[in-house]
PDB file of all heavy atoms in Angstrom:
ATOM      1  N   ASN A   1       2.029 -10.245  15.046  1.00  0.00           N
ATOM      2  CA  ASN A   1       2.745 -10.428  13.778  1.00  0.00           C
ATOM      3  C   ASN A   1       2.040 -11.465  12.978  1.00  0.00           C
ATOM      4  O   ASN A   1       2.222 -12.713  13.080  1.00  0.00           O
ATOM      5  CB  ASN A   1       4.172 -10.824  14.150  1.00  0.00           C
ATOM      6  CG  ASN A   1       5.139 -10.818  12.993  1.00  0.00           C
ATOM      7  OD1 ASN A   1       4.596 -10.869  11.758  1.00  0.00           O
ATOM      8  ND2 ASN A   1       6.361 -10.754  13.154  1.00  0.00           N
ATOM      9  N   THR A   2       1.287 -11.008  11.926  1.00  0.00           N
ATOM     10  CA  THR A   2       0.465 -11.791  11.173  1.00  0.00           C
ATOM     11  C   THR A   2       1.317 -12.781  10.230  1.00  0.00           C
ATOM     12  O   THR A   2       0.958 -13.798   9.797  1.00  0.00           O
ATOM     13  CB  THR A   2      -0.539 -11.062  10.366  1.00  0.00           C
ATOM     14  OG1 THR A   2       0.202 -10.151   9.458  1.00  0.00           O
ATOM     15  CG2 THR A   2      -1.436 -10.292  11.223  1.00  0.00           C
ATOM     16  N   GLU A   3       2.498 -12.205   9.991  1.00  0.00           N
ATOM     17  CA  GLU A   3       3.401 -12.867   8.986  1.00  0.00           C
ATOM     18  C   GLU A   3       3.914 -14.178   9.611  1.00  0.00           C
ATOM     19  O   GLU A   3       4.203 -15.230   8.683  1.00  0.00           O
ATOM     20  CB  GLU A   3       4.633 -12.043   8.561  1.00  0.00           C
ATOM     21  CG  GLU A   3       4.173 -10.807   7.686  1.00  0.00           C
ATOM     22  CD  GLU A   3       5.461  -9.992   7.303  1.00  0.00           C
ATOM     23  OE1 GLU A   3       6.578 -10.400   7.674  1.00  0.00           O
ATOM     24  OE2 GLU A   3       5.275  -8.991   6.677  1.00  0.00           O
ATOM     25  N   ILE A   4       4.033 -14.319  10.819  1.00  0.00           N
ATOM     26  CA  ILE A   4       4.436 -15.591  11.450  1.00  0.00           C
ATOM     27  C   ILE A   4       3.270 -16.266  12.281  1.00  0.00           C
ATOM     28  O   ILE A   4       3.505 -17.029  13.193  1.00  0.00           O
ATOM     29  CB  ILE A   4       5.645 -15.445  12.269  1.00  0.00           C
ATOM     30  CG1 ILE A   4       5.428 -14.348  13.447  1.00  0.00           C
ATOM     31  CG2 ILE A   4       6.750 -14.965  11.493  1.00  0.00           C
ATOM     32  CD1 ILE A   4       6.541 -14.239  14.506  1.00  0.00           C
ATOM     33  N   ASN A   5       2.053 -15.885  11.894  1.00  0.00           N
ATOM     34  CA  ASN A   5       0.863 -16.529  12.583  1.00  0.00           C
ATOM     35  C   ASN A   5       0.817 -16.275  13.979  1.00  0.00           C
ATOM     36  O   ASN A   5       0.293 -16.981  14.852  1.00  0.00           O
ATOM     37  CB  ASN A   5       0.836 -17.934  12.193  1.00  0.00           C
ATOM     38  CG  ASN A   5       0.626 -18.274  10.796  1.00  0.00           C
ATOM     39  OD1 ASN A   5      -0.214 -17.761  10.119  1.00  0.00           O
ATOM     40  ND2 ASN A   5       1.381 -19.323  10.234  1.00  0.00           N
ATOM     41  N   ASN A   6       1.274 -14.976  14.438  1.00  0.00           N
ATOM     42  CA  ASN A   6       1.226 -14.575  15.863  1.00  0.00           C
ATOM     43  C   ASN A   6      -0.031 -13.676  15.931  1.00  0.00           C
ATOM     44  O   ASN A   6       0.111 -12.541  15.655  1.00  0.00           O
ATOM     45  CB  ASN A   6       2.587 -13.977  16.203  1.00  0.00           C
ATOM     46  CG  ASN A   6       2.528 -13.642  17.677  1.00  0.00           C
ATOM     47  OD1 ASN A   6       1.465 -13.553  18.361  1.00  0.00           O
ATOM     48  ND2 ASN A   6       3.675 -13.334  18.198  1.00  0.00           N
ATOM     49  N   PHE A   7      -1.106 -14.261  16.610  1.00  0.00           N
ATOM     50  CA  PHE A   7      -2.249 -13.414  16.649  1.00  0.00           C
ATOM     51  C   PHE A   7      -2.620 -12.885  18.101  1.00  0.00           C
ATOM     52  O   PHE A   7      -3.742 -12.720  18.602  1.00  0.00           O
ATOM     53  CB  PHE A   7      -3.484 -14.199  16.036  1.00  0.00           C
ATOM     54  CG  PHE A   7      -3.354 -14.234  14.519  1.00  0.00           C
ATOM     55  CD1 PHE A   7      -2.623 -15.222  13.917  1.00  0.00           C
ATOM     56  CD2 PHE A   7      -3.791 -13.082  13.807  1.00  0.00           C
ATOM     57  CE1 PHE A   7      -2.492 -15.266  12.533  1.00  0.00           C
ATOM     58  CE2 PHE A   7      -3.772 -13.138  12.391  1.00  0.00           C
ATOM     59  CZ  PHE A   7      -2.978 -14.221  11.783  1.00  0.00           C
ATOM     60  N   ASN A   8      -1.585 -12.825  18.834  1.00  0.00           N
ATOM     61  CA  ASN A   8      -1.676 -12.172  20.186  1.00  0.00           C
ATOM     62  C   ASN A   8      -2.164 -10.755  19.992  1.00  0.00           C
ATOM     63  O   ASN A   8      -1.854 -10.115  18.855  1.00  0.00           O
ATOM     64  CB  ASN A   8      -0.347 -12.164  20.910  1.00  0.00           C
ATOM     65  CG  ASN A   8      -0.144 -13.545  21.648  1.00  0.00           C
ATOM     66  OD1 ASN A   8      -0.584 -13.789  22.691  1.00  0.00           O
ATOM     67  ND2 ASN A   8       0.747 -14.381  21.003  1.00  0.00           N
ATOM     68  N   ILE A   9      -2.838 -10.102  20.871  1.00  0.00           N
ATOM     69  CA  ILE A   9      -3.336  -8.827  20.796  1.00  0.00           C
ATOM     70  C   ILE A   9      -2.714  -7.931  21.833  1.00  0.00           C
ATOM     71  O   ILE A   9      -2.395  -8.482  22.896  1.00  0.00           O
ATOM     72  CB  ILE A   9      -4.874  -8.702  20.809  1.00  0.00           C
ATOM     73  CG1 ILE A   9      -5.469  -9.358  22.111  1.00  0.00           C
ATOM     74  CG2 ILE A   9      -5.465  -9.415  19.533  1.00  0.00           C
ATOM     75  CD1 ILE A   9      -6.910  -9.253  22.273  1.00  0.00           C
ATOM     76  N   GLU A  10      -2.639  -6.653  21.592  1.00  0.00           N
ATOM     77  CA  GLU A  10      -1.943  -5.777  22.521  1.00  0.00           C
ATOM     78  C   GLU A  10      -2.871  -5.066  23.610  1.00  0.00           C
ATOM     79  O   GLU A  10      -3.957  -4.560  23.136  1.00  0.00           O
ATOM     80  CB  GLU A  10      -1.183  -4.739  21.796  1.00  0.00           C
ATOM     81  CG  GLU A  10      -0.330  -3.866  22.636  1.00  0.00           C
ATOM     82  CD  GLU A  10       0.671  -2.927  21.799  1.00  0.00           C
ATOM     83  OE1 GLU A  10       0.321  -2.534  20.703  1.00  0.00           O
ATOM     84  OE2 GLU A  10       1.732  -2.751  22.294  1.00  0.00           O
ATOM     85  N   THR A  11      -2.535  -5.207  24.803  1.00  0.00           N
ATOM     86  CA  THR A  11      -3.212  -4.488  25.836  1.00  0.00           C
ATOM     87  C   THR A  11      -3.395  -2.995  25.514  1.00  0.00           C
ATOM     88  O   THR A  11      -2.320  -2.346  25.245  1.00  0.00           O
ATOM     89  CB  THR A  11      -2.590  -4.722  27.163  1.00  0.00           C
ATOM     90  OG1 THR A  11      -2.518  -6.139  27.439  1.00  0.00           O
ATOM     91  CG2 THR A  11      -3.408  -3.931  28.310  1.00  0.00           C
ATOM     92  N   GLY A  12      -4.514  -2.412  25.703  1.00  0.00           N
ATOM     93  CA  GLY A  12      -4.678  -0.910  25.569  1.00  0.00           C
ATOM     94  C   GLY A  12      -4.869  -0.430  24.105  1.00  0.00           C
ATOM     95  O   GLY A  12      -5.506   0.542  23.865  1.00  0.00           O
ATOM     96  N   THR A  13      -4.304  -1.095  23.122  1.00  0.00           N
ATOM     97  CA  THR A  13      -4.455  -0.565  21.724  1.00  0.00           C
ATOM     98  C   THR A  13      -5.367  -1.467  20.906  1.00  0.00           C
ATOM     99  O   THR A  13      -5.914  -1.068  19.866  1.00  0.00           O
ATOM    100  CB  THR A  13      -3.041  -0.460  21.078  1.00  0.00           C
ATOM    101  OG1 THR A  13      -2.481  -1.723  21.111  1.00  0.00           O
ATOM    102  CG2 THR A  13      -2.142   0.474  21.816  1.00  0.00           C
ATOM    103  N   SER A  14      -5.526  -2.736  21.281  1.00  0.00           N
ATOM    104  CA  SER A  14      -6.412  -3.680  20.448  1.00  0.00           C
ATOM    105  C   SER A  14      -7.786  -3.270  20.707  1.00  0.00           C
ATOM    106  O   SER A  14      -8.282  -3.148  21.812  1.00  0.00           O
ATOM    107  CB  SER A  14      -6.077  -5.068  20.808  1.00  0.00           C
ATOM    108  OG  SER A  14      -7.101  -5.963  20.149  1.00  0.00           O
ATOM    109  N   ALA A  15      -8.523  -3.319  19.556  1.00  0.00           N
ATOM    110  CA  ALA A  15     -10.013  -3.082  19.727  1.00  0.00           C
ATOM    111  C   ALA A  15     -10.666  -4.264  20.288  1.00  0.00           C
ATOM    112  O   ALA A  15     -11.908  -4.179  20.734  1.00  0.00           O
ATOM    113  CB  ALA A  15     -10.657  -2.803  18.321  1.00  0.00           C
ATOM    114  N   ALA A  16      -9.996  -5.408  20.430  1.00  0.00           N
ATOM    115  CA  ALA A  16     -10.574  -6.583  20.992  1.00  0.00           C
ATOM    116  C   ALA A  16     -10.491  -6.525  22.622  1.00  0.00           C
ATOM    117  O   ALA A  16     -11.016  -7.352  23.293  1.00  0.00           O
ATOM    118  CB  ALA A  16      -9.952  -7.895  20.592  1.00  0.00           C
ATOM    119  N   ASP A  17      -9.603  -5.619  23.062  1.00  0.00           N
ATOM    120  CA  ASP A  17      -9.332  -5.541  24.553  1.00  0.00           C
ATOM    121  C   ASP A  17     -10.542  -5.243  25.292  1.00  0.00           C
ATOM    122  O   ASP A  17     -11.076  -4.097  25.254  1.00  0.00           O
ATOM    123  CB  ASP A  17      -8.189  -4.595  24.671  1.00  0.00           C
ATOM    124  CG  ASP A  17      -7.623  -4.568  26.175  1.00  0.00           C
ATOM    125  OD1 ASP A  17      -7.891  -5.564  26.927  1.00  0.00           O
ATOM    126  OD2 ASP A  17      -6.815  -3.734  26.524  1.00  0.00           O
ATOM    127  N   GLY A  18     -11.035  -6.190  26.156  1.00  0.00           N
ATOM    128  CA  GLY A  18     -12.111  -5.814  27.125  1.00  0.00           C
ATOM    129  C   GLY A  18     -13.466  -5.827  26.568  1.00  0.00           C
ATOM    130  O   GLY A  18     -14.337  -5.410  27.301  1.00  0.00           O
ATOM    131  N   ILE A  19     -13.707  -6.297  25.299  1.00  0.00           N
ATOM    132  CA  ILE A  19     -15.053  -6.204  24.695  1.00  0.00           C
ATOM    133  C   ILE A  19     -15.778  -7.512  24.844  1.00  0.00           C
ATOM    134  O   ILE A  19     -16.970  -7.596  24.471  1.00  0.00           O
ATOM    135  CB  ILE A  19     -15.043  -5.844  23.234  1.00  0.00           C
ATOM    136  CG1 ILE A  19     -14.457  -7.003  22.477  1.00  0.00           C
ATOM    137  CG2 ILE A  19     -14.280  -4.558  22.998  1.00  0.00           C
ATOM    138  CD1 ILE A  19     -14.723  -6.822  20.930  1.00  0.00           C
ATOM    139  N   GLY A  20     -15.159  -8.582  25.588  1.00  0.00           N
ATOM    140  CA  GLY A  20     -15.760  -9.871  25.567  1.00  0.00           C
ATOM    141  C   GLY A  20     -16.983  -9.934  26.503  1.00  0.00           C
ATOM    142  O   GLY A  20     -17.110  -9.180  27.459  1.00  0.00           O
ATOM    143  N   ASN A  21     -17.866 -11.014  26.280  1.00  0.00           N
ATOM    144  CA  ASN A  21     -18.911 -11.314  27.177  1.00  0.00           C
ATOM    145  C   ASN A  21     -18.395 -12.098  28.321  1.00  0.00           C
ATOM    146  O   ASN A  21     -17.654 -13.089  28.119  1.00  0.00           O
ATOM    147  CB  ASN A  21     -19.977 -12.011  26.356  1.00  0.00           C
ATOM    148  CG  ASN A  21     -21.090 -12.485  27.233  1.00  0.00           C
ATOM    149  OD1 ASN A  21     -21.080 -13.646  27.770  1.00  0.00           O
ATOM    150  ND2 ASN A  21     -22.184 -11.725  27.426  1.00  0.00           N
ATOM    151  N   THR A  22     -18.755 -11.743  29.547  1.00  0.00           N
ATOM    152  CA  THR A  22     -18.216 -12.529  30.716  1.00  0.00           C
ATOM    153  C   THR A  22     -18.740 -13.913  30.803  1.00  0.00           C
ATOM    154  O   THR A  22     -17.947 -14.813  31.199  1.00  0.00           O
ATOM    155  CB  THR A  22     -18.528 -11.812  31.952  1.00  0.00           C
ATOM    156  OG1 THR A  22     -19.969 -11.606  32.106  1.00  0.00           O
ATOM    157  CG2 THR A  22     -17.901 -10.367  32.085  1.00  0.00           C
ATOM    158  N   THR A  23     -19.883 -14.319  30.423  1.00  0.00           N
ATOM    159  CA  THR A  23     -20.446 -15.487  30.413  1.00  0.00           C
ATOM    160  C   THR A  23     -19.723 -16.459  29.557  1.00  0.00           C
ATOM    161  O   THR A  23     -19.347 -17.643  30.034  1.00  0.00           O
ATOM    162  CB  THR A  23     -21.932 -15.612  30.118  1.00  0.00           C
ATOM    163  OG1 THR A  23     -22.613 -14.727  31.089  1.00  0.00           O
ATOM    164  CG2 THR A  23     -22.568 -17.037  30.277  1.00  0.00           C
ATOM    165  N   THR A  24     -19.372 -16.011  28.382  1.00  0.00           N
ATOM    166  CA  THR A  24     -18.628 -16.845  27.433  1.00  0.00           C
ATOM    167  C   THR A  24     -17.177 -17.098  27.990  1.00  0.00           C
ATOM    168  O   THR A  24     -16.610 -18.152  27.963  1.00  0.00           O
ATOM    169  CB  THR A  24     -18.506 -16.123  26.079  1.00  0.00           C
ATOM    170  OG1 THR A  24     -19.786 -15.967  25.606  1.00  0.00           O
ATOM    171  CG2 THR A  24     -17.783 -16.938  25.051  1.00  0.00           C
ATOM    172  N   ALA A  25     -16.541 -16.023  28.576  1.00  0.00           N
ATOM    173  CA  ALA A  25     -15.256 -16.042  29.090  1.00  0.00           C
ATOM    174  C   ALA A  25     -15.199 -17.129  30.274  1.00  0.00           C
ATOM    175  O   ALA A  25     -14.245 -17.898  30.404  1.00  0.00           O
ATOM    176  CB  ALA A  25     -14.699 -14.779  29.600  1.00  0.00           C
ATOM    177  N   GLN A  26     -16.207 -17.220  31.066  1.00  0.00           N
ATOM    178  CA  GLN A  26     -16.323 -18.198  32.157  1.00  0.00           C
ATOM    179  C   GLN A  26     -16.424 -19.593  31.607  1.00  0.00           C
ATOM    180  O   GLN A  26     -15.879 -20.583  32.284  1.00  0.00           O
ATOM    181  CB  GLN A  26     -17.504 -17.834  33.072  1.00  0.00           C
ATOM    182  CG  GLN A  26     -17.358 -16.580  33.950  1.00  0.00           C
ATOM    183  CD  GLN A  26     -18.580 -16.141  34.541  1.00  0.00           C
ATOM    184  OE1 GLN A  26     -19.656 -16.755  34.374  1.00  0.00           O
ATOM    185  NE2 GLN A  26     -18.525 -14.964  35.225  1.00  0.00           N
ATOM    186  N   GLN A  27     -16.970 -19.745  30.411  1.00  0.00           N
ATOM    187  CA  GLN A  27     -17.016 -21.119  29.826  1.00  0.00           C
ATOM    188  C   GLN A  27     -15.657 -21.477  29.293  1.00  0.00           C
ATOM    189  O   GLN A  27     -15.326 -22.769  29.228  1.00  0.00           O
ATOM    190  CB  GLN A  27     -18.100 -21.139  28.665  1.00  0.00           C
ATOM    191  CG  GLN A  27     -19.530 -20.901  29.146  1.00  0.00           C
ATOM    192  CD  GLN A  27     -20.462 -20.734  27.994  1.00  0.00           C
ATOM    193  OE1 GLN A  27     -19.989 -20.768  26.789  1.00  0.00           O
ATOM    194  NE2 GLN A  27     -21.704 -20.534  28.235  1.00  0.00           N
ATOM    195  N   VAL A  28     -14.822 -20.506  28.842  1.00  0.00           N
ATOM    196  CA  VAL A  28     -13.491 -20.815  28.344  1.00  0.00           C
ATOM    197  C   VAL A  28     -12.510 -19.881  29.140  1.00  0.00           C
ATOM    198  O   VAL A  28     -12.004 -18.964  28.673  1.00  0.00           O
ATOM    199  CB  VAL A  28     -13.462 -20.373  26.816  1.00  0.00           C
ATOM    200  CG1 VAL A  28     -12.124 -21.002  26.222  1.00  0.00           C
ATOM    201  CG2 VAL A  28     -14.670 -20.983  26.067  1.00  0.00           C
ATOM    202  N   PRO A  29     -12.175 -20.345  30.341  1.00  0.00           N
ATOM    203  CA  PRO A  29     -11.523 -19.439  31.328  1.00  0.00           C
ATOM    204  C   PRO A  29      -9.985 -19.350  31.040  1.00  0.00           C
ATOM    205  O   PRO A  29      -9.324 -18.445  31.553  1.00  0.00           O
ATOM    206  CB  PRO A  29     -11.726 -20.043  32.625  1.00  0.00           C
ATOM    207  CG  PRO A  29     -11.986 -21.484  32.329  1.00  0.00           C
ATOM    208  CD  PRO A  29     -12.717 -21.605  30.999  1.00  0.00           C
ATOM    209  N   ILE A  30      -9.450 -20.163  30.242  1.00  0.00           N
ATOM    210  CA  ILE A  30      -7.994 -20.223  29.898  1.00  0.00           C
ATOM    211  C   ILE A  30      -7.827 -19.978  28.355  1.00  0.00           C
ATOM    212  O   ILE A  30      -8.473 -20.623  27.587  1.00  0.00           O
ATOM    213  CB  ILE A  30      -7.279 -21.518  30.263  1.00  0.00           C
ATOM    214  CG1 ILE A  30      -7.555 -21.628  31.830  1.00  0.00           C
ATOM    215  CG2 ILE A  30      -5.877 -21.416  29.921  1.00  0.00           C
ATOM    216  CD1 ILE A  30      -6.984 -22.918  32.343  1.00  0.00           C
ATOM    217  N   ASP A  31      -6.924 -18.897  27.935  1.00  0.00           N
ATOM    218  CA  ASP A  31      -6.746 -18.708  26.637  1.00  0.00           C
ATOM    219  C   ASP A  31      -5.744 -19.761  25.894  1.00  0.00           C
ATOM    220  O   ASP A  31      -5.290 -20.688  26.557  1.00  0.00           O
ATOM    221  CB  ASP A  31      -6.370 -17.209  26.394  1.00  0.00           C
ATOM    222  CG  ASP A  31      -4.850 -16.985  26.674  1.00  0.00           C
ATOM    223  OD1 ASP A  31      -4.090 -17.871  27.176  1.00  0.00           O
ATOM    224  OD2 ASP A  31      -4.340 -15.826  26.386  1.00  0.00           O
ATOM    225  N   LEU A  32      -5.440 -19.488  24.704  1.00  0.00           N
ATOM    226  CA  LEU A  32      -4.692 -20.415  23.865  1.00  0.00           C
ATOM    227  C   LEU A  32      -3.306 -20.426  24.390  1.00  0.00           C
ATOM    228  O   LEU A  32      -2.456 -21.408  24.178  1.00  0.00           O
ATOM    229  CB  LEU A  32      -4.693 -19.998  22.362  1.00  0.00           C
ATOM    230  CG  LEU A  32      -4.116 -20.984  21.413  1.00  0.00           C
ATOM    231  CD1 LEU A  32      -4.641 -22.420  21.516  1.00  0.00           C
ATOM    232  CD2 LEU A  32      -4.331 -20.435  20.041  1.00  0.00           C
ATOM    233  N   ASN A  33      -2.850 -19.354  25.021  1.00  0.00           N
ATOM    234  CA  ASN A  33      -1.451 -19.404  25.582  1.00  0.00           C
ATOM    235  C   ASN A  33      -1.437 -20.087  26.994  1.00  0.00           C
ATOM    236  O   ASN A  33      -0.312 -20.140  27.635  1.00  0.00           O
ATOM    237  CB  ASN A  33      -1.013 -17.968  25.785  1.00  0.00           C
ATOM    238  CG  ASN A  33      -0.555 -17.240  24.564  1.00  0.00           C
ATOM    239  OD1 ASN A  33      -0.039 -18.002  23.570  1.00  0.00           O
ATOM    240  ND2 ASN A  33      -0.644 -15.991  24.377  1.00  0.00           N
ATOM    241  N   GLY A  34      -2.498 -20.522  27.519  1.00  0.00           N
ATOM    242  CA  GLY A  34      -2.636 -21.084  28.888  1.00  0.00           C
ATOM    243  C   GLY A  34      -2.759 -20.001  29.943  1.00  0.00           C
ATOM    244  O   GLY A  34      -2.561 -20.339  31.115  1.00  0.00           O
ATOM    245  N   THR A  35      -3.061 -18.759  29.477  1.00  0.00           N
ATOM    246  CA  THR A  35      -3.205 -17.658  30.482  1.00  0.00           C
ATOM    247  C   THR A  35      -4.756 -17.597  30.936  1.00  0.00           C
ATOM    248  O   THR A  35      -5.622 -17.632  30.086  1.00  0.00           O
ATOM    249  CB  THR A  35      -2.891 -16.358  29.800  1.00  0.00           C
ATOM    250  OG1 THR A  35      -1.518 -16.422  29.354  1.00  0.00           O
ATOM    251  CG2 THR A  35      -3.042 -15.166  30.751  1.00  0.00           C
ATOM    252  N   ASN A  36      -4.893 -17.288  32.243  1.00  0.00           N
ATOM    253  CA  ASN A  36      -6.279 -17.100  32.761  1.00  0.00           C
ATOM    254  C   ASN A  36      -6.870 -15.819  32.107  1.00  0.00           C
ATOM    255  O   ASN A  36      -6.337 -14.843  32.156  1.00  0.00           O
ATOM    256  CB  ASN A  36      -6.144 -16.982  34.364  1.00  0.00           C
ATOM    257  CG  ASN A  36      -5.815 -18.356  34.936  1.00  0.00           C
ATOM    258  OD1 ASN A  36      -6.146 -19.437  34.524  1.00  0.00           O
ATOM    259  ND2 ASN A  36      -5.060 -18.293  36.038  1.00  0.00           N
TER     260      ASN A  36
END
């Protein structure tokens, strides 16, 4: 919900889902929600 600054992304439908580099993810292992 961009209108309330909610930039969570949806599993399965978001183009961002699963495209990340693993080395970068290991450097930042916890997301902004505190989720691994």
Side-chain angles (χ1 to χ4, degrees):
N1 192 336
T2 61
E3 292 183 1
I4 59 173
N5 295 315
N6 183 343
F7 288 91
N8 282 281
I9 57 174
E10 187 170 34
T11 300
T13 61
S14 171
D17 189 11
I19 72 164
N21 175 271
T22 58
T23 301
T24 301
Q26 289 166 3
Q27 294 173 1
V28 192
I30 299 175
D31 79 350
L32 190 54
N33 285 330
T35 302
N36 291 325

